[in-house]
Amino acid sequence: MRISLLLLKMAKTSTIVSKASIMIAATIITILMIFSTNGATEIVLATTSSNQTQNSEPVRVAAGGGNGTAPWTIYIPQSINIKAGQSVTWDNPTTVGEPHTVTFVRDNNTMADVVSPLGVSNATEFMTLPPGSNNEPILIPGTDGTNTLIAVNARTFNPVVIDSNGSANFMNPNANYTMTGTEKYVNSGWFLPQGFEQEFPGAGNTFTVTFEKPGIYPYVCILHPWMVGSVNVQ
């Protein structure tokens, strides 16, 4: 009889342990997402925010990711918390040439479109690069001695800052910028994964911002407007 009771207690204990194990395993599976990139499996923490306030080292954020079949249009992590004086570096880990930007629009009047119309003399001649390639500019004939050229807006393609006075200052690709919090517009320019720069000559691979003033700094990818993120500086 005692042996039977002992076996019954052991069975109940085993059942409880098994249920606990299943719950723990389910929690871990819920927290972790498994992605496959180029046949290699990566385990990524499924979180949209990251607290980096205890670390003085630069924080890295992935702009996009994935592969040619399923490129990601998301910042990872999407929201971060840092201390004043810390830096954040964005890079593009996509395995195809999918460009992104990190753009802080702090004055809505400075929002820039990706393409813009520009007036040029109707005597202007354009050549294709490389010569003989199958491309040409969008050129709309005018009647007043000028044509309208539709071109990529330099203020989205290149790293640029519009300061509190409205002056635009361009930076080099892979720019490092210190944000004071008074700017109207800060843009990384188009940046691509390492080795894909030739697809958009003049583009970079990274963008780094050092945040001097506490506050919340939302940003967006101009090329993918649903792709948003934020930096909370404490």
Side-chain angles (χ1 to χ4, degrees):
M1 184 66 176
R2 292 181 179 177
I3 295 175
S4 298
L5 290 174
L6 180 60
L7 290 174
L8 181 60
K9 289 181 180 179
M10 291 176 63
K12 289 182 177 181
T13 302
S14 177
T15 301
I16 294 171
V17 172
S18 298
K19 288 182 178 179
S21 299
I22 292 171
M23 291 177 65
I24 293 171
T27 302
I28 293 173
I29 292 172
T30 301
I31 294 174
L32 295 177
M33 295 185 299
I34 300 178
F35 297 96
S36 179
T37 303
N38 284 347
T41 299
E42 298 178 5
I43 298 179
V44 181
L45 188 63
T47 179
T48 58
S49 64
S50 176
N51 191 332
Q52 300 285 346
T53 55
Q54 302 304 316
N55 190 348
S56 61
E57 294 298 319
V59 179
R60 299 196 73 87
V61 176
N67 51 40
T69 303
W72 305 339
T73 51
I74 187 172
Y75 298 105
I76 305 173
Q78 191 173 24
S79 176
I80 56 175
N81 301 312
I82 64 171
K83 292 180 178 179
Q86 275 189 270
S87 299
V88 180
T89 296
W90 289 265
D91 63 2
N92 187 340
T94 313
T95 58
V96 293
E98 177 80 8
H100 295 293
T101 76
V102 171
T103 308
F104 298 86
V105 183
R106 302 182 59 77
D107 180 338
N108 288 336
N109 293 325
T110 63
M111 175 57 79
D113 292 326
V114 176
V115 296
S116 60
L118 302 169
V120 296
S121 169
N122 57 17
T124 304
E125 295 184 5
F126 297 91
M127 70 176 74
T128 59
L129 294 175
S133 57
N134 186 20
N135 63 71
E136 62 179 290
I138 297 176
L139 199 62
I140 303 171
T143 58
D144 56 355
T146 63
N147 294 326
T148 300
L149 174 70
I150 306 299
V152 172
N153 189 344
R155 295 188 181 183
T156 68
F157 183 77
N158 300 114
V160 62
V161 175
I162 298 178
D163 62 23
S164 58
N165 297 319
S167 299
N169 301 292
F170 286 91
M171 300 178 286
N172 293 325
N174 304 317
N176 287 266
Y177 180 72
T178 299
M179 185 176 289
T180 64
T182 62
E183 300 86 351
K184 294 184 176 182
Y185 179 84
V186 178
N187 179 51
S188 65
W190 295 17
F191 60 97
L192 292 99
Q194 191 75 34
F196 285 88
E197 302 90 338
Q198 70 277 5
E199 296 191 11
F200 299 96
N205 305 115
T206 65
F207 184 56
T208 300
V209 177
T210 302
F211 294 85
E212 289 191 337
K213 183 179 178 181
I216 298 176
Y217 297 81
Y219 60 92
V220 64
C221 173
I222 286 183
L223 300 173
H224 309 93
W226 60 91
M227 184 174 167
V228 296
S230 66
V231 180
N232 181 15
V233 184
Q234 300 174 354

